Amino acid sequence: MDNSNFKEFKAVTINNGVIEIHPYRESEMIRDQEVVDDIYEIFGDLSQIPFNHEKFIDSKKDFSTYSIIREWHRHIRYIHFVSYMSNQKIIGQIIISPPVKEYYKFQKSLKNVWMIEYYLNKTFWNKGIMSSLIPAIIQSLNQQGITNIGAVVDRLNTPSVRVLEKSGFVRIGQFDDLKDYYLSYLMI
């Protein structure tokens, strides 16, 4: 599990007929204000992100779709949207991050690990959405040669822990005082 077959990151695009995972595209550029509104609906309400207050967006002015594009092209983070196909409403975000040194400071075992994080509008919690999408994302990453995939989750965030476990992740250890880290063993 060393990612040695990885060449170049390709956007994850998954479509199950109802929900779609996709990167920022031209259609989002055209409806930029709606995108900002949808993202703010998730990250502008602390009850939506109870275990990730550091992701809080204080104001719509604090969020820019430009930062999504900039981070993608600098290979910092690959932000994908989870959208309803019928109305294009963004109901979540999935972030895929290449191995970065910040994680090594905490855990040497995270060297060469791609990290995944996900957020969903609480209106859609407990509907099995992420439990069905995360394995599909892992499969897409595996097909790109990315096989060393991890996630960090607050140990009190039981629903997210269940999503990871259902998706083939195994708890590896303690990341910090509040969070544990998991590695994916779902190789398809």
Side-chain angles (χ1 to χ4, degrees):
M1 297 200 7
D2 63 359
N3 298 318
S4 60
N5 294 325
F6 172 72
K7 303 285 186 242
E8 178 183 334
F9 184 80
K10 296 176 186 79
V12 174
T13 312
I14 297 169
N15 174 335
N16 70 8
V18 178
I19 293 176
E20 182 178 24
I21 298 173
H22 58 88
Y24 187 79
R25 348 171 248 213
E26 188 176 334
S27 61
E28 277 79 37
M29 287 182 210
I30 294 167
R31 27 180 236 96
D32 190 69
Q33 189 55 53
E34 288 175 49
V35 171
V36 170
D37 292 345
D38 290 348
I39 296 300
Y40 185 73
E41 193 174 316
I42 299 167
F43 296 101
D45 176 357
L46 288 174
S47 72
Q48 295 263 20
I49 48 173
F51 299 101
N52 294 82
H53 288 180
E54 70 277 6
K55 301 289 183 178
F56 178 68
I57 299 172
D58 192 38
S59 157
K60 289 181 188 180
K61 291 182 269 182
D62 294 339
F63 176 75
S64 163
T65 53
Y66 171 74
S67 65
I68 292 171
I69 297 166
R70 184 183 68 236
E71 288 182 6
W72 188 290
H73 289 288
R74 290 184 178 172
H75 309 286
I76 297 169
R77 299 184 316 159
Y78 301 103
I79 298 173
H80 293 72
F81 296 125
V82 179
S83 301
Y84 263 117
M85 293 181 63
S86 61
N87 61 7
Q88 304 264 309
K89 179 167 180 58
I90 296 169
I91 63 167
Q93 206 178 68
I94 295 172
I95 302 168
I96 302 166
S97 300
V100 291
K101 292 182 181 175
E102 286 78 41
Y103 288 121
Y104 309 164
K105 288 185 235 173
F106 297 104
Q107 297 293 336
K108 297 287 185 206
S109 61
L110 291 178
K111 188 174 184 181
N112 298 319
V113 175
W114 285 69
M115 300 301 285
I116 187 168
E117 54 186 289
Y118 47 89
Y119 304 92
L120 191 63
N121 184 313
K122 72 179 178 181
T123 305
F124 303 95
W125 289 359
N126 300 312
K127 297 185 187 311
I129 293 172
M130 284 301 173
S131 293
S132 67
L133 295 178
I134 298 300
I137 292 167
I138 300 305
Q139 180 180 6
S140 177
L141 293 173
N142 287 174
Q143 290 169 349
Q144 293 187 46
I146 300 170
T147 56
N148 206 2
I149 304 163
V152 174
V153 64
D154 188 301
R155 65 183 59 93
L156 298 178
N157 188 349
T158 309
S160 191
V161 168
R162 279 197 309 267
V163 166
L164 290 175
E165 290 172 346
K166 286 181 188 176
S167 301
F169 283 77
V170 175
R171 183 186 177 277
I172 299 301
Q174 185 174 327
F175 183 76
D176 61 22
D177 291 340
L178 300 173
K179 298 178 181 181
D180 293 331
Y181 66 98
Y182 289 73
L183 288 177
S184 171
Y185 286 96
L186 179 67
M187 298 201 36
I188 301 169

